[in-house]
Amino acid sequence: MDIKVEKVSKSKIDSIDFGNLGFGKYFTDHMFMCNYSEGKWKNFTIKPFENFSISPASKVFHYGQAVFEGMKAYKDINDNIYLFRPKENYKRLNKSALRLDMPEISEEIFMEGLMQLLRMEKEWIPKDGQKSLYVRPFMIANDNLLSAVSSTEYIFCIIFSPVGEYFSGEVKLKVEDKYSRVAFGGLGMAKAAGNYAASFMPAKKASLEGFSQVIWTDDLNHEYIEEVGAMNIMFRMGDKLVTPPIDNGRILEGVTRDSILVLAKDMGIDVEVRPITVKEIFDSKESKGKLLECFGVGTAAVVSQVKSITYKDKTIEFNNESDYGTKLKEKIIKIQTNLEEDKYGWRVKI
Ligand SMILES: *Cc1c(COP(=O)(O)O)cnc(C)c1O
């Protein structure tokens, strides 16, 4: 596979305030790009990060055929660069693409494009354990036709953003009992742009009511707990770590979720993957004090501890003294950043 490389004449890295990165605000000098037409991926290029020029009739604007991925690259104290389980993101991108009737991409294109770009942008990967380089591969439809059928042309692109620690403050959640981000038979298992679009309005409403995010429930009766914001959700009940199953096609199969479950088992924590109802968590908090922790898990924040959950007029609060979330977060970050042995083969050296 031949990647054409076109470099910037001068890096903009000196203009970036690495002490104040936020999340997804700054982008590195270059991007990887290729396009799909006549049934093939072609024109593999690494070029300066710049605006696209695409037609206003491009299908992505009208029908939303767009999927993406999110992962992080880390640098250890010896300047070695690592990705965390990138093959899982690769597989998931294709799974998402298939669901939206978009073309799959080969592992070679995905990994070669990503690794070559990472090597070029290595100065951009922060060394400090709290920061990392966020990697955003995405695919969009690009036929210039308004007919409402799948596109035949696509763009695949990878961009990088140096990011700070994802700080969300005290996380107060509201159980969403009206809106849904996904539906049975819908796009829940895909990392599709449209799922995010569906989530913004309910999330903003919750924010105006003083909440940080919503807990998504099933769209039938809003009875079963599914995700929190754009993260998978986990509870500590007594000495058990409990999380909903992902086999209903509605919950995104998080790489962090899977990794945390493996780590928890290895740390001797009892893991239960089963449906969880809203009623159950409120009952167990009130009656037996069995519910000790709730946290969201995902690439951006890794583990995000929850302070309270509100459902209609009832609120439960966590004292956050119990610490499965904290321990698991420390453990996974140590593996990601090469501070601890990786017996799972998750870390991929670039
Ligand atoms: C990306 C995402 C997650 C987390 O997946 P990771 O692979 O752990 O980053 C969870 N839920 C939704 C809806 C997502 O889009």
Side-chain angles (χ1 to χ4, degrees):
M1 176 190 158
D2 206 19
I3 303 179
K4 197 178 109 197
V5 177
E6 189 192 319
K7 288 192 177 171
V8 294
S9 50
K10 189 179 179 308
S11 173
K12 61 185 177 225
I13 194 164
D14 291 338
S15 69
I16 309 294
D17 176 6
F18 275 81
N20 189 13
L21 287 172
F23 194 90
K25 261 200 306 191
Y26 302 110
F27 299 95
T28 65
D29 292 319
H30 302 93
M31 61 186 185
F32 171 78
M33 203 171 157
C34 58
N35 62 287
Y36 182 92
S37 64
E38 290 147 351
K40 273 205 221 46
W41 287 104
K42 53 186 87 166
N43 306 328
F44 310 105
T45 321
I46 288 178
K47 59 180 186 174
F49 181 96
E50 64 192 10
N51 292 351
F52 291 156
S53 173
I54 60 182
S55 163
S58 176
K59 273 190 187 168
V60 66
F61 298 134
H62 305 275
Y63 306 124
Q65 262 184 308
V67 296
F68 68 95
E69 268 307 321
M71 61 182 122
K72 281 174 171 174
Y74 306 87
K75 203 184 255 177
D76 70 9
I77 47 168
N78 298 315
D79 281 347
N80 296 308
I81 302 167
Y82 300 96
L83 286 166
F84 186 70
R85 308 185 71 183
K87 212 172 154 179
E88 299 305 314
N89 297 89
Y90 159 71
K91 287 193 277 189
R92 193 171 64 188
L93 179 78
N94 278 342
K95 207 169 141 184
S96 301
L98 276 177
R99 178 60 186 83
L100 276 85
D101 202 23
M102 300 166 83
E104 288 181 276
I105 196 152
S106 73
E107 187 172 343
E108 190 194 8
I109 299 172
F110 185 91
M111 288 306 299
E112 272 307 304
L114 176 54
M115 294 207 285
Q116 196 164 326
L117 186 62
L118 264 180
R119 287 187 198 110
M120 267 178 75
E121 307 288 62
K122 61 175 184 287
E123 298 308 319
W124 287 85
I125 309 174
K127 214 157 156 171
D128 153 355
Q130 310 300 315
K131 306 189 190 95
S132 57
L133 189 73
Y134 185 75
V135 173
R136 169 56 62 87
F138 62 100
M139 192 194 293
I140 56 172
N142 195 28
D143 269 8
N144 306 327
L145 276 172
L146 292 182
S147 57
V149 294
S150 300
S151 190
T152 58
E153 302 203 356
Y154 294 85
I155 293 172
F156 173 70
C157 185
I158 304 175
I159 55 174
F160 293 161
S161 172
V163 298
E165 196 175 17
Y166 202 96
F167 183 70
S168 37
E170 273 200 347
V171 178
K172 296 180 180 171
L173 303 178
K174 170 191 167 184
V175 176
E176 182 56 65
D177 59 357
K178 181 172 180 204
Y179 300 104
S180 300
R181 70 185 289 282
V182 299
F184 287 106
L187 303 180
M189 39 63 70
K191 223 170 165 67
N195 290 340
Y196 281 68
S199 76
F200 291 159
M201 181 271 266
K204 186 188 271 178
K205 279 198 161 181
S207 155
L208 293 173
E209 294 163 23
F211 299 104
S212 331
Q213 251 305 344
V214 304
I215 290 185
W216 298 107
T217 51
D218 68 281
D219 59 313
L220 212 56
N221 299 314
H222 297 286
E223 208 178 321
Y224 290 95
I225 290 181
E226 300 193 322
E227 300 208 55
V228 47
M231 300 177 94
N232 294 117
I233 193 164
M234 297 189 175
F235 296 93
R236 175 181 177 180
M237 298 185 186
D239 292 332
K240 284 200 178 91
L241 186 65
V242 192
T243 193
I246 47 172
D247 56 10
N248 61 6
R250 303 171 45 93
I251 297 179
L252 206 276
E253 193 170 350
V255 179
T256 317
R257 173 189 180 278
D258 183 72
S259 310
I260 292 271
L261 292 181
V262 171
L263 291 176
K265 280 182 206 155
D266 273 9
M267 285 160 75
I269 299 171
D270 220 351
V271 168
E272 245 179 46
V273 178
R274 59 163 176 85
I276 304 165
T277 60
V278 178
K279 182 170 184 315
E280 174 188 359
I281 66 156
F282 275 81
D283 284 354
S284 64
K285 186 72 186 173
E286 278 168 11
S287 56
K288 298 165 229 134
K290 241 175 54 180
L291 180 66
L292 299 173
E293 267 181 271
C294 170
F295 47 91
V297 301
T299 295
V302 190
V303 171
S304 178
Q305 205 82 27
V306 172
K307 186 70 191 161
S308 70
I309 302 177
T310 300
Y311 177 61
K312 298 191 196 291
D313 58 353
K314 280 196 252 174
T315 295
I316 51 184
E317 293 212 22
F318 298 92
N319 59 22
N320 289 3
E321 273 164 22
S322 52
D323 54 1
Y324 279 8
T326 315
K327 280 196 188 126
L328 288 160
K329 181 175 186 172
E330 272 173 25
K331 181 88 182 166
I332 194 170
I333 290 180
K334 278 186 179 160
I335 295 175
Q336 288 167 332
T337 55
N338 193 23
L339 287 170
E340 200 166 287
E341 185 205 351
D342 168 26
K343 64 174 179 183
Y344 315 96
W346 287 342
R347 213 162 45 217
V348 174
K349 197 168 168 181
I350 303 304

